[in-house]
Amino acid sequence: MRLTDEELREVLARAEEIQRATRRGDAWESERSAVISAGEAVGLSRTAIERAIVERFGAPTLPPTVGALTWARSADGKFYVAEVLASREDGARVLFLRGSEHDVALDGIRPCSFLPGERVVCNWPWWGAWTCSVVSYDAARQRVTLADGWGETESFAIAEVWLPAMKKPRDPSRARVYATILAAGASAGAIVGAIITAILMR
């Protein structure tokens, strides 16, 4: 299904509204239900919509299960694989596979499944930090096979991969200021060009 430009603008505007809204409690549940209903109305599955919500907003809809693996935000803003030690409504106590134990808020937790095609970052041999696609996941060995996008695959321990820090949403007022400045600059340029043309034509 392809969205028209107008539909895309509407979705993005609505996503911005949802992002500004509280992501817990009745207000968040109401917003989430509305998004799911709208998605189902155009033929998307509930599972796909819920996963997209989790990926877009970075917070699971429910607290994680004790003993499960999760992506947890670290002090550097990146998300690393961690085991859930204790779960509560607003977050969890996790043990990062690299060794440290921390309390993480619900918005600092993401589901960890290593589905084929999922994008993760690793230190690729000879290249350093590189965004790759998951090819397969061996849960028993806790290893993931990744493709670099150039035909090469490598196996990594899941403790060695991460998700990048979430980008801050754009401030729409700042974008309007930039657009105004650009428009003013273009207008000034047109006026100066017209004056120079008039002078040269004499």
Side-chain angles (χ1 to χ4, degrees):
M1 180 188 86
R2 294 203 36 108
L3 295 176
T4 64
D5 289 345
E6 184 60 31
E7 289 170 331
L8 181 58
R9 278 192 293 275
E10 288 172 4
V11 167
L12 294 176
R14 183 66 182 137
E16 184 178 336
E17 288 174 16
I18 293 170
Q19 174 134 347
R20 286 196 304 262
T22 302
R23 295 182 191 159
R24 296 191 189 96
D26 294 338
W28 168 242
E29 282 306 312
S30 174
E31 295 284 352
R32 192 175 73 85
S33 296
V35 171
I36 290 170
S37 296
E40 287 177 328
V42 296
L44 298 172
S45 74
R46 184 182 188 92
T47 303
I49 299 164
E50 287 183 338
R51 182 169 174 86
I53 289 170
V54 169
E55 289 177 2
R56 174 63 181 89
F57 295 107
T61 54
L62 296 171
T65 306
V66 173
L69 291 180
T70 188
W71 292 108
R73 186 186 297 129
S74 185
D76 63 2
K78 298 174 185 174
F79 290 75
Y80 299 95
V81 181
E83 180 183 351
V84 178
L85 300 178
S87 182
R88 56 185 191 278
E89 189 176 325
D90 64 343
R93 181 96 180 150
V94 301
L95 174 64
F96 287 99
L97 297 190
R98 291 183 169 194
S100 59
E101 190 175 311
H102 292 282
D103 287 313
V104 182
L106 195 61
D107 66 356
I109 296 171
R110 290 184 175 181
C112 181
S113 53
F114 293 110
L115 295 173
E118 186 177 352
R119 306 283 282 167
V120 298
V121 183
C122 68
N123 281 316
W124 195 267
W126 306 105
W127 288 106
W130 193 260
T131 302
C132 303
S133 298
V134 173
V135 175
S136 63
Y137 172 49
D138 183 342
R141 295 176 54 222
Q142 292 194 335
R143 292 192 70 81
V144 62
T145 300
L146 304 176
D148 68 351
W150 294 90
E152 298 293 324
T153 60
E154 288 277 343
S155 176
F156 296 86
I158 60 174
E160 297 174 4
V161 301
W162 67 91
L163 299 179
M166 291 181 64
K167 293 180 181 175
K168 292 183 180 177
R170 274 190 191 160
D171 181 355
S173 61
R174 180 176 288 183
R176 282 192 290 274
V177 169
Y178 290 155
T180 303
I181 291 169
L182 286 173
S187 298
I191 291 169
V192 170
I195 291 171
I196 291 173
T197 302
I199 291 170
L200 292 175
M201 296 293 283
R202 287 183 178 178

